[in-house]
Structures are given as C-alpha cells and as structure tokens.
Amino acid sequence: MEAGKKRLATLVGCNYFDTRNELRGCINDVDSMRGLLVGRFGFRPEDVAVITDEPGSEVLPTGKNIRAALRSMADRAEPGDVLFFHFSGHGTLVPAVEPHHHGRSRRDEAIVPVDFNLITDVDFRQLVDRLPPGVSFTIISDSCHSGGLIDQEKEQIGPNSAASARAAAPPPDDRRRSRGASRTLPCEDILQHVSSLSAVESEHVGDHLLDIFGGDASAKYFSRSTSTPEPPADAVGADDGILLSGCQTNETSADTGPGEEEGEDGKAYGAFSNSVRLVLGEQEEGEGGMSNRELVLRARKLLRERGFEQHPCLYCSDENADAPFLWQQQGEQL
C-alpha cells in the first residue's frame, strides 16, 4: 500500500446479554478480527474502532452509534484508502419498502443493533455510493440472511452463480448436521417489540422505527414515508463495495458454543468469522494476498467439512472478486 494511505476499520459485536436473543461468540469474533487486522493487515490500533455490548462498554452498538462510526470512516476516506466493517450478531429479513417491487413480494436484508434500530441493505448501498473513487469498503457480516446486504451489489458467489453450486456440492458420504445457535432474529419479533414502544398503528416495521428513532432510522424507511420509489436494479455501476456474507439470504449463520469447534481455544465464535480467521491463518507471512473469491470458497469448504450447512457468499465487482482481501497488495496498482 502506498505511503500515507489509511486502513480504517469498525468492528461490531452484539451478544445481546440478558435477553432471550443472547448469543455467545460475537464479541470474541471482533476481538479476534482486531488482532488479525493489526498483526497481519497493517491496520494501526488507533484506526480500529471496536463497538460491543460487553458490560461496562461506554459506547453500545446501537443503530445510531454504528451509523456514526461508519460515517466517520467514510468522512475520513481518501482515494486509495481501505475501509473495513465486521458485524457479528443477529440478522433479519424485513418487508421491502415497495411490496410489489419487481412484480413480487420480497424481503430485504438487515443487521440488528442492540436497540433493534435496523441497518438495512439500502444503508450500506448509500455508504458505498458516498465514498471517493478508489476507496474500497469491505464488509464481513456474520449474521443470518446476510447475502445481498449491500443493495444491488453484483453476486459473484451465491445461490445464482456457477461457482456457488460447485462449492456447495457435498462429498458423496456427506454427514452434514445442523450445529450452533442461529444468528437470526425474526422480523415478527422485532415488529412486536418496536410496536410496543411506538405511537403509530401499522403492520410495517419501518413505520415504527421511524416513529421511535426519527432521523436515526434506516434510509430505507424514509423512502417509504415519502413514497419515493427504490432505484432500478441497473442504476448502480461497478464500485469498490465488497461483501463477504456468512450465508445466503435465505439461510442462517451459526453461533457456536465453547468446545463445538475441533481444536479451538475453548471460546465461542461465529462459525463464519472463525472460518475466515482459520483460512487467513493458513497463509505464510509474506505470501501473496488471498483473493476475496478464494477466501469465500475456502471458508465454504471448511464450514462444510465441520458440519455447518450455511453457504458464505461474495458480492462485489468482477475486478474486486479476484483482488486480494483488504487490498493487501492493491496499492501497487492504484
């Protein structure tokens, strides 16, 4: 990377302590990722923001605080910079703003902060669109239903790609089994919670989030309140948004308990976050950077070998699919 170019990261882990939605591995995920970023990928410790709901945390991973951290990274970004966001926690599917968008009913992807102020696929699309040219923004979302979390980003590995089908094919004697707790929080549960706090009468979760959080709610729901149509699917060209999702849109991601991973350190982790860490850890120091495509395919393979049924996906431009993860050597080409 060229001298003076920045590497900025925001890492968010939500364990949802003392709730019926509690998870165990999310804070461990981001702690482990922080060590990897600083020790292997050249991030300065002061440029890595960690936001968790660990007891005693001064800044909690609410929707407002996560958005503020992401905006702060975007505001600091200059051409050639590398931005990274890792979310470990619950994901959900929410009703689309336009119920008959593209002629059918659909649900869209969102991550779930601790206050349920959802951050949606539209929010991530807007964040990518505001970045200066030549700034990469990589997301790892270890959450349920995370495929497609950057709205309209091109699928490289996923349910509709040939590479996905080959990578997902089990061996002849496949003994896969469901493992770990699900990192999903059904939208119906979220709607029940936020509607109890809201003064409006509506069956759409977005109306309640707007009423409760106002200007801090997802941009997706402002378009609903003003009847502004979503942009057409071909409105977005190639950009440097890169999403590595823990699973496909219709799947769940696993939160594993201590001892559920063979040969591990006894801590709980997210199955996808842990697989990424292990795959990257196989690289020798000084070895050429692993591409985003290779990282996702190898994480898929490792998950399958360990008995998990989720299928990580990759969404980005054709160029970034084969670019090194976190642009380890990309500075030479800028």
Side-chain angles (χ1 to χ4, degrees):
M1 186 173 65
E2 293 179 4
K5 298 306 181 184
K6 299 186 295 297
R7 289 176 172 261
L8 310 175
T10 297
L11 314 180
V12 175
C14 301
N15 275 359
Y16 312 91
F17 288 107
D18 298 324
T19 74
R20 64 178 183 175
N21 308 304
E22 185 169 348
L23 298 172
R24 295 187 286 181
C26 302
I27 294 176
N28 291 335
D29 287 342
V30 299
D31 286 345
S32 176
M33 181 59 71
R34 184 182 185 278
L36 192 64
L37 294 179
V38 174
R40 176 65 68 88
F41 289 98
F43 286 72
R44 299 189 308 171
E46 60 268 29
D47 288 333
V48 180
V50 178
I51 307 174
T52 74
D53 60 345
E54 189 169 17
S57 296
E58 294 184 4
V59 179
L60 292 173
T62 63
K64 179 179 180 179
N65 289 340
I66 296 172
R67 287 189 179 89
L70 292 173
R71 284 195 300 269
S72 177
M73 283 204 307
D75 290 342
R76 293 178 60 190
E78 299 173 307
D81 289 351
V82 174
L83 274 54
F84 178 63
F85 175 59
H86 182 188
F87 177 78
S88 184
H90 279 303
T92 193
L93 290 173
V94 296
V97 172
E98 297 293 329
H100 302 292
H101 185 66
H102 294 162
R104 60 184 175 85
S105 178
R106 136 185 139 202
R107 289 192 158 197
D108 293 329
E109 306 83 13
I111 59 173
V112 185
V114 292
D115 61 348
F116 289 7
N117 184 8
L118 302 179
I119 300 177
T120 70
D121 57 338
V122 169
D123 298 316
F124 288 111
R125 164 48 56 198
Q126 291 191 354
L127 183 65
V128 169
D129 288 347
R130 70 179 288 187
L131 295 174
V135 175
S136 75
F137 179 57
T138 300
I139 297 173
I140 287 182
S141 188
D142 194 351
S143 55
C144 293
H145 313 298
S146 48
L149 193 58
I150 303 177
D151 188 36
Q152 303 176 47
E153 197 64 61
K154 183 175 181 180
E155 177 188 302
Q156 298 288 344
I157 300 173
N160 300 309
S161 66
S164 167
R166 292 193 298 271
D173 61 345
D174 181 38
R175 295 183 175 87
R176 287 183 295 168
R177 58 201 181 278
S178 178
R179 298 180 58 185
S182 170
R183 289 187 168 192
T184 189
L185 212 166
C187 185
E188 291 73 19
D189 290 356
I190 297 172
L191 176 60
Q192 182 180 20
H193 173 77
V194 297
S195 63
S196 69
L197 305 176
S198 171
V200 302
E201 293 185 7
S202 174
E203 295 183 356
H204 196 290
V205 66
D207 294 328
H208 298 289
L209 294 175
L210 277 174
D211 183 57
I212 298 168
F213 299 107
D216 293 319
S218 171
K220 177 187 288 285
Y221 301 124
F222 287 100
S223 62
R224 171 177 170 82
S225 66
T226 58
S227 299
T228 301
E230 295 184 31
D234 59 357
V236 178
D239 55 47
D240 286 320
I242 305 165
L243 169 66
L244 290 76
S245 66
C247 62
Q248 297 176 172
T249 300
N250 64 339
E251 292 180 333
T252 60
S253 290
D255 185 65
T256 66
E260 291 182 323
E261 291 282 63
E262 297 175 8
E264 287 305 311
D265 55 11
K267 295 182 179 179
Y269 288 103
F272 177 56
S273 293
N274 194 46
S275 294
V276 167
R277 179 172 66 92
L278 293 174
V279 169
L280 290 174
E282 293 173 355
Q283 284 187 282
E284 298 291 336
E285 291 289 347
E287 182 182 347
M290 185 180 302
S291 72
N292 291 301
R293 187 190 306 277
E294 183 180 3
L295 177 55
V296 170
L297 291 176
R298 289 176 65 175
R300 276 189 171 217
K301 181 175 182 292
L302 182 58
L303 285 166
R304 186 174 69 246
E305 290 172 348
R306 292 187 165 213
F308 294 97
E309 296 184 341
Q310 66 197 72
H311 300 95
C313 299
L314 175 64
Y315 293 80
C316 61
S317 68
D318 294 341
E319 181 181 2
N320 279 322
D322 295 310
F325 175 65
L326 293 182
W327 282 12
Q328 298 104 304
Q329 300 171 334
Q330 196 75 1
E332 300 174 359
Q333 304 172 21
L334 291 173

